[in-house]
Amino acid sequence: MVIQSKSLVSTSPGPDPVASIAEERANATFDPVDMHAVVEGSPEKAQKILELYQSLERDPILAPGFHDYELSRDENREQTTARINRMTQYVENEPYEDFWRRLNLMTVYDPSLGIRISVNLGLFINCIRGNGTDAQYNYWCVEKEARHMKQLWGCFGMTELGHGSNAAGVETTATFDEKTDEFVVNTPHIGATKWWIGGAAHSATHCVVYARLIIKGKDYGVKTFVVPLRDSRHQLMPGVAIGDIGSKMGREGVDNGWIQFSNVRIPRFFMLQKFCKVDRSGKVDLPPLEQLSYISLLQGRVGMASDSYRICARFITIATRYAVGRRQFKSDQREDEKEETQLINYPLHQRRIMPYLALTYAMGLGTDRLERQHAETVKNLEAAVAKKNEKAIYAALANTKSLFVDSAALKSTLTWLAESCITETRQACGGSGYSAYSGFGKSYADWVVQCTWEGDNNVLGMSAGRALIKNIQTILEKDIRIKGSTAYLSDAKEYLNRRYYLKREEQLTAIETLRALEVLIVRVAAAAAEKQEKLESWDAVSYERVLLSKLHAHHYLLETLFLATRKVQKPELSYVLSKVTKLYLLTNVLEAFARDFVSYAVIKPQLSLQVSSKLVPESCLEVRGQAVPLVDSFQQPDGFLNSAVGVYDGNMYENYFKVVKTHNDPTKTKAPYSLDLEDMLNRGSILSRARFENDTEASKKLSS
Amino acid sequence: MVIQSKSLVSTSPGPDPVASIAEERANATFDPVDMHAVVEGSPEKAQKILELYQSLERDPILAPGFHDYELSRDENREQTTARINRMTQYVENEPYEDFWRRLNLMTVYDPSLGIRISVNLGLFINCIRGNGTDAQYNYWCVEKEARHMKQLWGCFGMTELGHGSNAAGVETTATFDEKTDEFVVNTPHIGATKWWIGGAAHSATHCVVYARLIIKGKDYGVKTFVVPLRDSRHQLMPGVAIGDIGSKMGREGVDNGWIQFSNVRIPRFFMLQKFCKVDRSGKVDLPPLEQLSYISLLQGRVGMASDSYRICARFITIATRYAVGRRQFKSDQREDEKEETQLINYPLHQRRIMPYLALTYAMGLGTDRLERQHAETVKNLEAAVAKKNEKAIYAALANTKSLFVDSAALKSTLTWLAESCITETRQACGGSGYSAYSGFGKSYADWVVQCTWEGDNNVLGMSAGRALIKNIQTILEKDIRIKGSTAYLSDAKEYLNRRYYLKREEQLTAIETLRALEVLIVRVAAAAAEKQEKLESWDAVSYERVLLSKLHAHHYLLETLFLATRKVQKPELSYVLSKVTKLYLLTNVLEAFARDFVSYAVIKPQLSLQVSSKLVPESCLEVRGQAVPLVDSFQQPDGFLNSAVGVYDGNMYENYFKVVKTHNDPTKTKAPYSLDLEDMLNRGSILSRARFENDTEASKKLSS
């Protein structure tokens, strides 16, 4: 046996994951930098993202590190605050679009930071912009500098302890006092306590409060009011009670708070009054188009869909590199190999992670499209409103409806899928996935609230599904074609009559699968429409509504992926992308919804079985060959992945061990509680601990 | 408006969840105490559990509390150690069976405690018992008192950084030195570092080390050795390097460690030698039946299946009570009600949580059966071995094989299902589910490692599935009937030929569904067998193997649930149980595996669709009526549930608010980092912060 000293001394050869990953890269058929530009939507965007990564990985305060996984709640809050402080340097100095991109990227590793800033610059300011007059926006956001995270810090007072999803049901009241020309904001009971308010516990100076407008005893429904919470000395305003909501599953860096108002008075002109106006005498003017105010909430949903893409990219990168470097057992398909088999060469392992790799590509392109769709829709709507062009407003509103459906379907479907992706990739890294330093634990705990907030996934799914069913009802009843992102429903009549759309393996192309999805959506929606009409209840078809929302989301992704692949110039890229598309549609679409495809007679059972038993494994194997370059194409650097086992060069064991030793000083061989433990081990006998009161001698004495 | 003071002052009526839950209890058709005895398997066991709950909820150190959700890693370790210390009082004083029951119950709220003790009393001692001679067991466990958590603290040195699932591949060496009659234990390279070893970092004094036995250059494979790690002063032994593995996703109370041995010498008789013996000259005696040593690992798997039941019982209790107390929106099926609709009355919400309620019942009875099966199998085997009765040994070995398959299938399937249950019930509690005080976050993070350790779920699933396929091969090739828990496979030939077993709604009974499951298992296994033979690879059918394992697990549960229901005397109990059984089989079996049932032609597509669109919602509704008494039947007290929103009396809002205020002092209105934050908000202009170096005046000066 030859003892060797490289970075460490070995008395026999150890694992060599670095060689394994190098081999993968040697077999790459395309350049990840090229592919990065494809998956991000454009070379310019890809370039900007890399510049931001570089800026972040260098920044002493903004850069992530393994210590992030060990922070207590207090330390977490402090770190997040320091990062916010640092981010104020950028918000004033770089283009707003770049700043948001920076924030979105940082959200992947520091979601607490992301949401603390988003609540202020996103929800608070968007609420003022969406519901307030220009003067109100200018006053608080520009003049008082809120948009630069300066002077004011805003929070978003919608949710109450008793009302989350049903925002129209909030019970905080804002009662007009004609005598003083003020609104009196009040929390009538515990259920109306503002709850979960991000930034309220310690940061916010102001809150946009969703409260019922009450004038002369009449309830005009929920409106929005700017309510100062803290004075310039950061002391609570009179009548304002605020507390910390305490420990959470994740996002411990956010100071979520509860707020109770006890007859807090604000001037009348603190009500946001772009739409609803109250004059000096308490007369209410409620113009139409109030629905427009809700468009300001869509930015958050679009952002969460994009977040889903980036978090999946992060963890599929880690899990793929791990699967290449890690060897375990010997596969009976590779008995000629000397070493144990790499995880990635097991069919089951491929089946566990490759579908998420394909999904991530679909997510990247799909959410890029959604971001652009959102920007354009908002721009058109704002332009039309500014010009007061009614026809243009209604045209823009139609697009807004598509955006509502698309963003609701994508936000809910993708945040759920991201949750599954983190879970599966963690399990695919075995024990290492459970180490905090691999990154899964914190990210999962931080992530999952995305499925609940800013539109609970089931509620959003139901809303998107309801729109689809209503569309079908219109199409079938009125025999018309519709526009927008659900235009494919227009062929409903034809789709309802054709049996077994897909019968043969050769039919399983992107274009045919898109069509099959459309047929399925039409059939599920038509059946649901019938049930809804028969039972006169939308709640009776809620299950079908959420199903439809998921199917629509996949339709959106598949369509985008397909079209993007067609546009790609370099043949080596489009070849690989076509394989990725195939894997995506086989697993995430045809297999994931196999029961529905079969039951609704869109695919023959025999073909569905073939998908599962033959086509999926074949497709996994095809993508597996380029798995490493495919994840390299996400271009997330080590400092950003922040995972001990997901490093670029594959040197996971040495790196992991180094992280463990750096963060857990081995010279401390005893725990702080060691004395207690040692005392316990070295305790006396039961008899001695019972002072010998129950030994035979005592027994003798006591019985005498 | 009348202002009212009850426990708090309200200026308008707030939510009244207490009334809602009281109403449910008023409509109970059975006594939860009776049902508790059913679901636990016997009145005696149920009684014992309640006595233990009472003892635990009173104990100042062992009782859970909301503070448990806020501990730092160090505090967590310290608390766990204090609880271990307290548990030593019980291990010496109460019957061993009661002590294990106590530990199993505590594992629901303190899994760190559970595993720290289980590694010592379970893995370490079982390993010595299973692999060592009687003398070895007596010496370390009795004489040195390890079984009483005294003098010695053992850890289990199997996993290495480079080898987790493949225990036979570990690379630590134990080389016999004939000169000194010692083994030299060595860690040859970083990959062979013992990793994840629970208790190693700070607690353990001894380790059973899995290492390759090397004698005169020959590798005899992996054997077990007792290696002292720390001396009586708790100082590391020479050549032993140990460190803390650091932060984890959960179970922060466990001091997992890494261990490296640099030529550590132990006497020859420290090798565990019930099976493998090495004599003074280095001659190795390797009798058959070494496989028996692995039975000692089964206790852990059986325990994890039971853990799955109890953790599901805990969270389905919380989510069900929340769904009754929480009202949101107005359902279009309940427009005549004055208040908003209770979550539990929404069809979608029922569909999300009711199936887990039914599953939990199936898990309770199924794991009770598994516990008894395990105890009996081990007893018979030990008796046969003690008597050296070869025939009895082989008979017991056959039962052991069944236990291997059943425990592998149930451990993997149920720990996965429990993970899904915690996730879905958390989401079903909306934002409250994300609060640490509802209990979901910590439990999830602690839980999920159950899917990875002591047999990775996919590896275990593959192993159970492989056994099923081999059984089918035997049956089909040799035309014989088999015994044990897979005896139902014996009808394979018949099952392979009959088409569409289930066609009509009326067929969906427990007994017919059991049969349908058998048909499906046979068909999947037969198809996999064919594929395996054709491709000459077991890895090629790994997906099917895991599927089979899940199906077998559900067969076990459904069979148990069905038989238990038949035995129940009280008609009000059996009526409800039959509804629960129906819901279980419709959702967890027929719907969950619908694709397979349809593709393998066991159920008609049309009937499968009907299950989903009609029967499942109907069945949910039937169980919903008794949902609260059904969860009350798990009899987990408030102190044990340890959830701010899952309290027995339903007073969730006031309780939650009280917990938040108690643990987050509202008098501290400013954060510790407030000065930084205030400085940030009140910072000067960009120009001033840039020392006016880029204003026009400077520009003038510099350009002159």
Side-chain angles (χ1 to χ4, degrees), chain A residues 461-476:
Chain A
M462 282 194 283
S463 138
R466 182 184 165 119
L468 288 165
I469 296 172
K470 286 196 151 182
N471 280 339
I472 280 286
Q473 286 170 328
T474 310
I475 290 164
L476 293 180

Side-chain angles (χ1 to χ4, degrees), chain A residues 163 331-332 340 434 445 538-539, chain B residues 163 331-332 340 434 445 538-539:
Chain A
H163 283 96
S331 169
D332 58 13
E340 287 180 90
Y434 200 66
W538 283 99
D539 286 322
Chain B
H163 282 95
S331 170
D332 58 12
E340 287 180 89
Y434 200 66
W538 284 98
D539 286 322

Side-chain angles (χ1 to χ4, degrees), chain A residues 11 70 73 148 151 161 163 166 188 247 326 331-332 340 419 423 434 445 531 537-539 613 681 683, chain B residues 11 70 148 151 161 163 166 188 247 326 331-332 340 419 423 434 445 537-539 613 664 681 683:
Chain A
T11 53
E70 311 207 294
R73 189 173 94 188
H148 284 157
Q151 297 190 55
L161 183 51
H163 283 96
N166 183 13
S247 293
R326 177 78 171 179
S331 169
D332 58 13
E340 287 180 90
E419 172 173 341
T423 299
Y434 200 66
K531 192 167 159 189
S537 164
W538 283 99
D539 286 322
S613 63
L681 290 176
R683 69 192 183 276
Chain B
T11 53
E70 310 207 294
H148 284 158
Q151 297 190 55
L161 182 52
H163 282 95
N166 183 13
S247 293
R326 178 78 170 178
S331 170
D332 58 12
E340 287 180 89
E419 172 173 342
T423 299
Y434 200 66
S537 164
W538 284 98
D539 286 322
S613 64
N664 303 277
L681 290 176
R683 70 194 183 275

Side-chain angles (χ1 to χ4, degrees), chain B residues 332-347:
Chain B
D332 58 12
Q333 298 179 323
R334 300 185 162 251
E335 276 163 357
D336 48 337
E337 278 185 349
K338 260 170 65 182
E339 293 175 279
E340 287 180 89
T341 304
Q342 292 164 274
L343 297 189
I344 201 167
N345 286 331
Y346 285 100

Side-chain angles (χ1 to χ4, degrees), chain A residues 10-14 70 73 77 81 85 88-89 92 148-151 161-166 186 188-190 195-196 202-203 233-234 244-251 258 260 326 328-329 331-333 340 347-348 351-352 416 419 423 426-427 430-431 434 436-437 441 444-446 448-449 452 458 531 537-540 542-543 591 594-595 598 600 609 612-613 653 656-657 660 664 670-671 673-674 677-678 680-681 683-686 689, chain B residues 10-14 70 73 77 81 85 88-89 92 116 148-151 161-166 186 188-190 195-196 202-203 233-234 244-251 258 260 326 328-329 331-333 340 347-348 351-352 416 419 423 426-427 430-431 434 436-437 441 444-446 448-449 452 458 531 537-540 542-543 591 594-595 598 600 609 612-613 653 656-657 660 664 670-671 673 677-678 680-681 683-686 689:
Chain A
S10 298
T11 53
S12 74
E70 311 207 294
R73 189 173 94 188
R77 296 260 177 101
T81 308
N85 207 334
T88 60
Q89 304 266 18
E92 288 180 277
H148 284 157
M149 306 197 275
K150 217 174 151 184
Q151 297 190 55
L161 183 51
H163 283 96
S165 293
N166 183 13
N186 193 51
H189 53 70
I190 185 175
W195 203 257
W196 278 115
H202 299 117
S203 313
R233 302 164 306 151
H234 221 66
D244 190 335
I245 212 170
S247 293
K248 301 181 291 279
M249 179 171 175
R251 305 223 179 197
W258 55 265
Q260 291 180 324
R326 177 78 171 179
Q328 201 78 179
F329 294 110
S331 169
D332 58 13
Q333 298 179 324
E340 287 180 90
L348 183 62
R351 198 170 185 130
R352 290 169 65 190
W416 268 329
E419 172 173 341
T423 299
R426 172 182 54 72
Q427 288 190 32
Y434 200 66
Y437 311 118
Y444 183 87
D446 285 346
V448 295
V449 71
T452 298
N458 279 293
K531 192 167 159 189
S537 164
W538 283 99
D539 286 322
S542 46
Y543 172 79
E591 189 168 48
R595 195 266 310 266
V598 171
Y600 284 93
L609 188 56
S612 196
S613 63
Y653 293 123
Y656 181 14
F657 196 30
V660 163
N664 304 276
K670 288 195 179 190
Y673 55 76
S674 198
L677 187 81
E678 294 169 44
M680 177 193 89
L681 290 176
R683 69 192 183 276
S685 65
I686 300 190
R689 277 147 46 213
Chain B
S10 298
T11 53
S12 73
E70 310 207 294
R73 189 174 93 189
R77 296 261 178 101
T81 309
N85 207 333
T88 61
Q89 304 266 20
E92 288 179 278
R116 267 175 81 165
H148 284 158
M149 307 197 277
K150 217 172 152 186
Q151 297 190 55
L161 182 52
H163 282 95
S165 294
N166 183 13
N186 193 50
H189 52 70
I190 184 174
W195 204 258
W196 279 115
H202 300 117
S203 313
R233 302 164 307 152
H234 221 67
D244 189 335
I245 213 170
S247 293
K248 302 181 290 280
M249 180 170 173
R251 306 222 178 198
W258 54 265
Q260 291 180 324
R326 178 78 170 178
Q328 201 79 178
F329 295 110
S331 170
D332 58 12
Q333 298 179 323
E340 287 180 89
L348 183 61
R351 199 170 184 132
R352 290 169 65 190
W416 268 328
E419 172 173 342
T423 299
R426 172 182 55 72
Q427 288 190 33
Y434 200 66
Y437 311 118
Y444 183 88
D446 285 345
V448 295
V449 71
T452 298
N458 279 292
K531 193 167 160 189
S537 164
W538 284 98
D539 286 322
S542 46
Y543 171 80
E591 189 169 47
R595 196 268 307 270
V598 171
Y600 284 92
L609 188 57
S612 195
S613 64
Y653 293 123
Y656 181 14
F657 197 30
V660 163
N664 303 277
K670 288 195 178 191
Y673 56 75
L677 187 82
E678 293 170 42
M680 176 193 88
L681 290 176
R683 70 194 183 275
S685 66
I686 300 191
R689 276 146 48 212

